[in-house]
Amino acid sequence: MIIVHHLENSRSQRVLWLLEELELEYDIRHYRRDPRTSLAPPELRAIHPLGKSPVITDEGLTIAESGAIIEYLVECYGGGRLAPASGTAEHLRYRYWMHYAEGTMMPLLVMSLIFNRVEQAPLLLRPVARSISRQVRQSYLDPNLSANLDYLEAELSRHAWFAGEAFSAADIQMSFPLEAAAVRVARDRDRPAIRRFIDSIREREAYQRAMDRGGPYEFLS
C-alpha cells in the first residue's frame, strides 16, 4: 500500500492528485504544521531525516522530493499514462517542466514568502527589514518573477498543456508554483493562459477528489 505522509498546506497535495489521476489505492498520514513557525512537526523525521513533505512509502521504499515521487509513481504504476513517449519532443518538454517547477520557479516564490515574513520583524527593526526587503524585491525578486510568469504565459499560449496538447504529470508538477502565484496572476489581466490553466486543473475530478482527501488547503500561506 502506498502511504503519503501529507503535511498540510504543502507540495504533497499534488502527490495526492497524481494518485487520484492514476486511480491508485493509497493511505494518508496527516501532519500539522507548528502554529508558530509553520514548520513540519518532528514526527516527519522518523520517516525521512530531513523531516519534510512530500514523502511516500511503498513496498519498503521511502521516497522524497516531489519530482522523484511523481516520476516513480508514473514509471511504476502509470502504464503509459501521464507521460509522453520517450524520444519525442513532448517527452523532452515533459522532463524540462518536471525540473523547472522546483529548480527555477519555486525558489523565487519561497524567497517571496520569506521576505513577507521578514517585513513582519519586531517593531523596532521593521523599518530596516522593510527597506532591505523592498530593495531585494525591486532589484531581483519582482523582475525575475515577472519574467518567469511572462515565459509561462507564452508557453501556455502555444500549447494546451505544458508537455504539449495532452495533460501529463508535468502539469501536476507545475500546478503548485502556479497556484502559489495565483494571487499575483489574478492581478495581472494580461496572463489569461495561466488563468485558464489554473481553472482547468481545478475542474478535474481527480484534483477535486485529492482536495477532499487532503483537507483544507492554503497555497504558500
Side-chain angles (χ1 to χ4, degrees), residues 70-181:
I70 289 174
E71 289 183 351
Y72 168 81
L73 292 172
V74 170
E75 289 172 6
C76 291
Y77 300 106
R81 294 172 292 170
L82 299 184
S86 182
T88 63
E90 289 78 10
H91 192 271
L92 184 60
R93 289 178 57 83
Y94 169 86
R95 179 172 293 175
Y96 171 77
W97 293 114
M98 288 291 293
H99 290 272
Y100 170 92
E102 294 294 328
T104 298
M105 193 64 182
M106 279 308 302
L108 295 171
L109 294 168
V110 171
M111 188 181 296
S112 182
L113 175 65
I114 290 171
F115 277 102
N116 285 344
R117 293 177 178 174
V118 166
E119 292 170 9
Q120 303 305 314
L123 191 60
L124 290 176
L125 299 176
R126 198 167 296 172
V128 174
R130 290 184 174 178
S131 176
I132 293 171
S133 176
R134 183 169 59 252
Q135 291 180 43
V136 173
R137 288 184 186 279
Q138 290 176 351
S139 64
Y140 175 79
L141 194 52
D142 287 350
N144 275 280
L145 275 171
S146 292
N148 276 272
L149 288 171
D150 288 344
Y151 171 53
L152 296 173
E153 175 69 22
E155 290 296 311
L156 288 172
S157 296
R158 287 192 286 269
H159 303 279
W161 300 101
F162 277 104
E165 302 314 307
F167 176 81
S168 74
D171 300 297
I172 296 175
Q173 176 76 332
M174 283 297 297
S175 66
F176 189 86
L178 281 182
E179 290 196 292

Side-chain angles (χ1 to χ4, degrees), residues 5-7 10 31-34 38-55 62 64-65:
H5 298 274
H6 177 54
L7 178 65
S10 78
Y31 300 82
R32 298 188 64 83
R33 293 181 181 274
D34 184 291
S38 294
L39 297 176
E43 290 84 355
L44 267 174
R45 291 195 185 93
I47 310 304
H48 188 276
L50 293 180
K52 295 184 178 181
S53 182
V55 178
T62 299
E65 292 292 339

